[in-house]
Amino acid sequence: MPVVDDALIGRIFCEESGRSVATLIRIFGDIDLAEDAVQEAFALAMRKWPAHGLPPNPGGWITTTARNRAIDHLRRESRGRELLGQVVEPEAPPGEESGPVQDDRLRLIFTCCHPALSAEARIALTLRLLGGLTTAEVARAFLVAEPTMAKRLVRAKHKIKAAHIPYRVPFDAELPERLRPVLAVLYLTYNAGTGGPAGDDLRHEAIRLARAISGLMPDEGEVAGLLALLLLTESRWPTRYSENGALVLLRDQDRSLWDRALIEEGHAIVRACLRRNQPGPYQIQAAINAVHADADSFAATDWSQILALYDQLLAMTPTPVVAMSRAIALGEVEGSQAALDVLEGLDLGEYHLFHAARADLLRRPGRHDEASRAYALAASLAASDAERTFLTDRLETIRATG
């Protein structure tokens, strides 16, 4: 029997909170009520489980307890008593289930991506509700301050109430206009699970939902592209961290440990996208990862092809982060100075990977003092312990050799 401590309950929260919140939102149609009830259920679990052990189905226990807490809360309110009369059992969902989306969590993604909300609010709200991310984690995903993100989330919830946005399944004709932010949500959810070995649940959930949407919309190239991108990225996961949790860069990973089944599936999807010949940003990113997966070693990577793909991606999505990634590829083709010339013109001062990339490029020609400063700044901004440890180790190494 596992030791039931705060860490275990925290992992269960990451696994189950999105599912429980989605179920309660379907039942009660109230975001705040669902969130508060699930939080109360986990607070109760923190008190009970260490003494009595895990229940046979922790997720079911959380959902049932949260539902009961929500009902108790509604009984104490006059408006709540009116709403309570409309509540249905989870086993007997309302008629809205006849739409194409049958999964509570998938339905919640589409619901949060209602066109009445801004694109950023749709993504942030879904990450918060479904991904189980804290406000601070959502803020880091958007590269903004936590108080700023907290205000945006509150405004999004108020907008849903004020506009009477329904919690229902989108019909077939509505799916395309909801698609773009939905895919962005899944991509950010996956990336939120890459901060360390404890992020398995977020990554697996993002892949599961991407597969579900791919089955729902098989003719959408960008849906296929995102699924391929996630599969190819996940194929490298066994080598991304060392046994002691330290970050391992792509150039240093043992490629014999990459998951060949995921690579083959991802390659097959990329080939199908190429035949469709309707490229989009996710399809191009998947193609970039397919090129990485083709190479037996970092040195054997076809960087010219990767650079050409980044040229296409930058033309479609001219963002500083894409420009940074292209610059890194440029550095492999034309040398570090060419990449540094591009990086100097980018406004990514608060992004730790920008400073980490500069540090690596400065280190290569022996500009150790500048590289040290860049590594130190990157470490101070790093979002995870694994990245911070890696960057600090690089800083200490370069100082010692310098």
Side-chain angles (χ1 to χ4, degrees), residues 324-348:
M324 181 193 77
S325 298
R326 180 192 173 276
I328 294 171
L330 180 67
E332 299 296 334
V333 176
E334 299 184 11
S336 58
Q337 189 57 52
L340 286 167
D341 290 343
V342 174
L343 292 183
E344 296 304 326
L346 301 180
D347 183 16
L348 288 169

Side-chain angles (χ1 to χ4, degrees), residues 145-163:
E146 182 178 353
T148 300
M149 181 53 64
K151 292 178 182 177
R152 292 177 185 176
L153 289 169
V154 169
R155 286 198 297 268
K157 293 177 186 178
H158 286 171
K159 174 73 172 180
I160 287 176
K161 285 187 176 181

Side-chain angles (χ1 to χ4, degrees), residues 19-38 40-41 62-77 79-94 96-97 104 107-108 111 160-161 165-168:
R19 183 183 293 107
S20 296
V21 168
T23 298
L24 265 65
I25 288 177
R26 168 171 55 80
I27 296 170
F28 297 103
D30 188 307
I31 289 178
D32 291 328
L33 178 64
E35 278 195 289
D36 291 346
V38 171
E40 289 181 19
I62 290 296
T63 300
T64 299
T65 301
R67 179 180 178 279
N68 292 338
R69 288 298 175 107
I71 290 174
D72 289 343
H73 178 76
L74 291 174
R75 283 172 175 154
R76 292 192 294 267
E77 298 181 351
R79 167 69 185 124
R81 287 192 292 273
E82 177 184 341
L83 181 59
L84 187 59
Q86 304 169 13
V87 170
V88 296
E89 296 289 333
E91 295 77 15
E96 66 193 33
E97 295 278 351
D104 273 345
R107 178 169 52 253
L108 177 56
T111 299
I160 287 176
K161 285 187 176 181
I165 293 175
Y167 292 96
R168 65 167 177 80

Side-chain angles (χ1 to χ4, degrees), residues 255-272:
R255 299 186 177 215
S256 67
L257 299 178
W258 287 2
D259 190 322
R260 301 311 305 180
L262 291 179
I263 289 174
E264 290 173 7
E265 184 181 0
H267 273 168
I269 297 173
V270 169
R271 288 193 295 269

Side-chain angles (χ1 to χ4, degrees), residues 200-368:
D200 292 356
D201 299 313
L202 284 175
R203 300 194 323 277
H204 295 165
E205 179 67 1
I207 292 173
R208 186 191 74 81
L209 292 172
R211 288 189 188 279
I213 297 177
S214 181
L216 186 69
M217 308 178 74
D219 296 326
E220 289 286 346
E222 280 295 83
V223 175
L226 176 63
L227 177 57
L229 173 60
L230 299 188
L231 293 173
L232 291 166
T233 305
E234 184 68 12
S235 72
R236 303 193 295 269
W237 185 256
T239 61
R240 182 158 179 166
Y241 292 91
S242 65
E243 292 182 358
N244 62 1
L247 183 68
V248 180
L249 294 185
L250 180 63
R251 68 172 65 242
D252 300 320
Q253 292 175 8
D254 182 353
R255 299 186 177 215
S256 67
L257 299 178
W258 287 2
D259 190 322
R260 301 311 305 180
L262 291 179
I263 289 174
E264 290 173 7
E265 184 181 0
H267 273 168
I269 297 173
V270 169
R271 288 193 295 269
C273 289
L274 290 174
R275 289 193 296 270
R276 185 181 285 117
N277 195 26
Q278 296 177 339
Y282 291 116
Q283 295 173 72
I284 294 174
Q285 290 178 77
I288 291 169
N289 278 268
V291 175
H292 281 300
D294 274 337
D296 294 332
S297 66
F298 187 85
T301 303
D302 187 345
W303 285 102
S304 295
Q305 185 178 2
I306 288 178
L307 180 59
L309 288 167
Y310 270 121
D311 287 339
Q312 294 182 49
L313 182 61
L314 186 62
M316 288 185 180
T317 55
T319 68
V321 173
V322 173
M324 181 193 77
S325 298
R326 180 192 173 276
I328 294 171
L330 180 67
E332 299 296 334
V333 176
E334 299 184 11
S336 58
Q337 189 57 52
L340 286 167
D341 290 343
V342 174
L343 292 183
E344 296 304 326
L346 301 180
D347 183 16
L348 288 169
E350 298 301 314
Y351 189 35
H352 71 286
L353 294 180
F354 168 75
H355 298 289
R358 282 193 69 251
D360 183 62
L361 292 164
L362 290 165
R363 175 186 57 81
R364 297 181 194 181
R367 296 164 63 177
H368 290 166

